[in-house]
Amino acid sequence: GVIEYWCDEHNVKILVKENPQQDELVADIKAVVAKEENKKRIERILRSKDLCFNSGRHIAKPPLGYYYDKSSKPSVLKKSKDISIIKNIFDKRLENKGYLKIAKELNFVSKNGKLTPIMIRNILRNPFYCGYVIYKGKILKGIHEPVIKIEEFCKINNVSGLDDLTKDNDKI
């Protein structure tokens, strides 16, 4: 297992006798090795997320209207059949309709349940839909196909540009 590999790699020999104190020592050594392995695993995951983000990839559950096409490696985000609902939400907001009115007019039920005004607001504030990804307060052009133009997104959210998105998180 991991412990034997680590011990071999670091030229560590553990002698075990039938002794309760040594059993405790072995358990402590195993705990230390497991803790170190966990730290390395977390570092690998964070490095992987950074690499994905820096290449313009979305690194979380796909937003409503998209799905991961796992037939390609690496998997790619593609528009789903629900994308027309997302486009309608943005179009209705450009017509100056409020969140509640949009939710009532669409009367759409997603896998997460019925669209609520708060869900509508969150969709409208998500820069993913205009082609960008955000991670750790940074924003980059994504590799996925956007639903709306950046100008429309900025108009809907009353921001002048992408810099406003990361400066004032209350706007998104």
Side-chain angles (χ1 to χ4, degrees):
V2 173
I3 294 172
E4 290 84 4
Y5 174 78
W6 185 89
C7 290
D8 288 345
E9 190 176 279
H10 293 88
N11 201 21
V12 173
K13 305 287 183 211
I14 300 174
L15 300 174
V16 180
K17 291 183 183 177
E18 302 266 339
N19 180 334
Q21 286 179 326
Q22 286 187 336
D23 288 345
E24 190 176 317
L25 174 64
V26 170
D28 289 345
I29 291 171
K30 287 179 177 181
V32 167
V33 171
K35 186 176 180 180
E36 286 303 310
E37 182 58 32
N38 193 42
K39 282 182 190 175
K40 288 181 181 180
R41 183 182 58 82
I42 290 169
E43 288 171 6
R44 285 191 304 270
I45 290 169
L46 292 175
R47 254 193 331 269
S48 176
K49 285 183 174 186
D50 286 341
L51 287 171
C52 285
F53 172 72
N54 289 327
S55 67
R57 295 179 52 125
H58 183 67
I59 56 173
K61 177 180 159 190
L64 182 62
Y66 288 84
Y67 71 97
Y68 280 111
D69 179 5
K70 296 183 180 178
S71 66
S72 60
K73 295 292 179 196
S75 59
V76 177
L77 271 173
K78 293 193 174 177
K79 291 179 179 176
S80 73
K81 60 183 171 68
D82 297 335
I83 203 67
S84 61
I85 297 298
I86 301 302
K87 181 67 175 139
N88 280 336
I89 290 170
F90 281 99
D91 290 344
K92 289 181 183 300
R93 187 65 180 152
L94 284 168
E95 297 169 6
N96 290 321
K97 293 184 179 177
Y99 306 142
L100 181 60
K101 187 165 184 133
I102 294 171
K104 284 182 178 179
E105 284 183 14
L106 292 177
N107 195 26
F108 174 74
V109 178
S110 74
K111 62 184 174 186
N112 298 330
K114 192 171 182 173
L115 281 179
T116 65
I118 291 172
M119 291 170 75
I120 299 288
R121 184 199 68 196
N122 291 341
I123 288 168
L124 291 168
R125 290 181 174 186
N126 189 346
F128 180 86
Y129 292 111
C130 67
Y132 289 84
V133 290
I134 293 180
Y135 179 63
K136 294 182 180 177
K138 297 179 194 169
I139 187 163
L140 289 177
K141 181 81 173 127
I143 60 172
H144 61 282
E145 187 180 346
V147 176
I148 64 163
K149 296 176 184 167
I150 183 69
E151 297 81 13
E152 294 170 320
F153 180 83
C154 290
K155 180 179 178 184
I156 286 170
N157 288 286
N158 199 24
V159 294
S160 59
L162 293 177
D163 289 341
D164 286 351
L165 295 177
T166 52
K167 286 180 189 168
D168 186 359
N169 286 334
D170 290 341
K171 291 188 177 181
I172 58 170

